[in-house]
Amino acid sequence: MSRYTYNTKQKTLIMSLLEKEKEAPLSCDSIVAMLVSEGTPVGKTTVYRFLENLAAKGEVRKFVDSHSKTATFQLVDKSLNCAEHMHLRCVDCGRIVHLGCEFMSEVGTHIFEHHGFTVDNSKTVILGKCENCKE
Amino acid sequence: MSRYTYNTKQKTLIMSLLEKEKEAPLSCDSIVAMLVSEGTPVGKTTVYRFLENLAAKGEVRKFVDSHSKTATFQLVDKSLNCAEHMHLRCVDCGRIVHLGCEFMSEVGTHIFEHHGFTVDNSKTVILGKCENCKE
DNA sequence: ATAATTGCAAACACTTTGCACCTGT
DNA sequence: ACAGGTGCAAAGTGTTTGCAATTAT
């Protein structure tokens, strides 16, 4: 494992894409495609590796679609304290909602006390459809 | 799409394995391996196809591990009305808990009313660790 | 200088498909 | 008889790895 990290233009490019599209998660392929069409291509290996690193450091959240099996990544907004609440994700548009409200914070407690489970907020994603995508 | 379905010994073998192991989901590979070691091998294509059919008919629930990306399948107990509640899954042992209690049924309502999302119970799996697997 | 990073091509793991043969009804 | 099912081998998909060249410090 590397002990230092260098700043490279590839990392900067990927990062700024993630920042620009922070509403919904991006797949590695779409990042590669976007960078190509911006005239600043980055090798797909680099994209996979960098996103996996960010996910390991908790700077990015990784989702896996159960049908396509494609991984998608979204920047974690540190000011939101995402480790403390669950998330909702629209199966159609990918939009994420942070469930930081009072009521939802009781859910973890309830599950622990009544069902003997310790919920892992970083892995749990409640799936459904948002208002816009409801048919 | 087929209009009729035949009963075959392969389907029967896979079904009885699912019934025997209904506590935790099984991967296609493990089903293939188990059937081989029981002296009644079934082609892996058949296993994949049959499980996918069962999942489409809602007789089996499909999970996708976000790390290994392996799909696992578990028989749905129809008497439990799984469409009406969320599920909890232990990330270590795979055990499933049905959240059919009063409190949890309010969660869907809360999310709809306060966050504008319609939760899809068939797709949602809350992840965490069960009592046994807690370190 | 030298450790980290890049990116190609090749390897991988899981799953799906084409197709000729087999089986249940 | 014939629609449905099986299973091999081959193709597909998304991701990871080996490695030689490149770049940041």
Side-chain angles (χ1 to χ4, degrees):
Chain A
M1 185 60 98
S2 306
R3 302 173 61 75
Y4 306 97
T5 84
Y6 298 165
N7 295 323
T8 63
K9 63 175 183 304
Q10 288 89 340
K11 289 180 181 177
T12 309
L13 286 164
I14 297 168
M15 263 316 226
S16 53
L17 251 192
L18 287 170
E19 267 149 23
K20 206 189 318 180
E21 310 280 331
K22 63 177 149 213
E23 295 302 309
L26 297 175
S27 68
C28 290
D29 268 3
S30 64
I31 289 173
V32 169
M34 286 164 120
L35 291 172
V36 165
S37 72
E38 286 179 8
T40 51
V42 171
K44 88 165 61 162
T45 308
T46 302
V47 175
Y48 274 107
R49 252 182 312 222
F50 183 50
L51 288 171
E52 213 55 64
N53 284 348
L54 291 174
K57 286 193 290 177
E59 296 184 22
V60 124
R61 205 187 331 280
K62 179 181 181 181
F63 301 99
V64 175
D65 179 78
S66 69
H67 183 63
S68 73
K69 293 192 174 172
T70 309
T72 54
F73 300 82
Q74 183 179 29
L75 216 50
V76 169
D77 182 337
K78 281 165 180 163
S79 68
L80 290 175
N81 279 110
C82 289
E84 290 163 22
H85 55 252
M86 291 193 210
H87 298 81
L88 210 48
R89 176 170 186 208
C90 178
V91 293
D92 281 358
C93 68
R95 195 161 66 89
I96 299 293
V97 169
H98 300 258
L99 294 170
C101 67
E102 172 108 20
F103 181 89
M104 287 305 295
S105 73
E106 286 170 31
V107 172
T109 313
H110 167 87
I111 289 176
F112 180 71
E113 288 173 359
H114 293 78
H115 305 280
F117 257 70
T118 309
V119 173
D120 185 336
N121 287 323
S122 73
K123 290 185 181 143
T124 299
V125 185
I126 299 179
L127 297 170
K129 292 207 181 184
C130 74
E131 293 149 309
N132 306 332
C133 297
K134 204 167 298 164
E135 65 278 355
Chain B
M1 184 60 98
S2 307
R3 304 174 60 76
Y4 304 95
T5 84
Y6 297 165
N7 295 322
T8 63
K9 62 176 183 306
Q10 288 89 338
K11 290 181 180 178
T12 309
L13 286 164
I14 297 168
M15 264 315 228
S16 54
L17 250 193
L18 287 170
E19 267 150 22
K20 206 189 320 180
E21 309 282 329
K22 64 177 147 212
E23 295 302 308
L26 297 175
S27 69
C28 290
D29 268 4
S30 64
I31 289 174
V32 170
M34 286 165 119
L35 290 172
V36 166
S37 73
E38 286 180 8
T40 52
V42 171
K44 90 166 58 163
T45 306
T46 302
V47 174
Y48 275 107
R49 254 183 309 223
F50 183 50
L51 287 172
E52 214 55 66
N53 284 348
L54 290 175
K57 287 194 289 177
E59 295 184 22
V60 125
R61 205 185 334 278
K62 179 180 180 180
F63 301 99
V64 175
D65 180 78
S66 70
H67 184 62
S68 74
K69 295 196 173 169
T70 309
T72 53
F73 300 82
Q74 184 179 29
L75 217 49
V76 169
D77 183 337
K78 283 167 180 165
S79 67
L80 290 175
N81 279 110
C82 289
E84 290 163 22
H85 56 253
M86 290 192 209
H87 297 81
L88 210 48
R89 175 172 185 206
C90 178
V91 293
D92 282 359
C93 69
R95 194 161 67 88
I96 300 293
V97 170
H98 300 258
L99 294 170
C101 67
E102 172 110 19
F103 181 89
M104 287 305 294
S105 72
E106 285 169 33
V107 173
T109 313
H110 167 87
I111 290 176
F112 180 71
E113 287 174 358
H114 293 77
H115 305 282
F117 257 71
T118 309
V119 174
D120 185 336
N121 287 322
S122 73
K123 290 184 180 142
T124 300
V125 185
I126 299 178
L127 297 170
K129 291 205 183 187
C130 73
E131 293 150 309
N132 306 331
C133 296
K134 206 167 298 166
E135 64 278 357

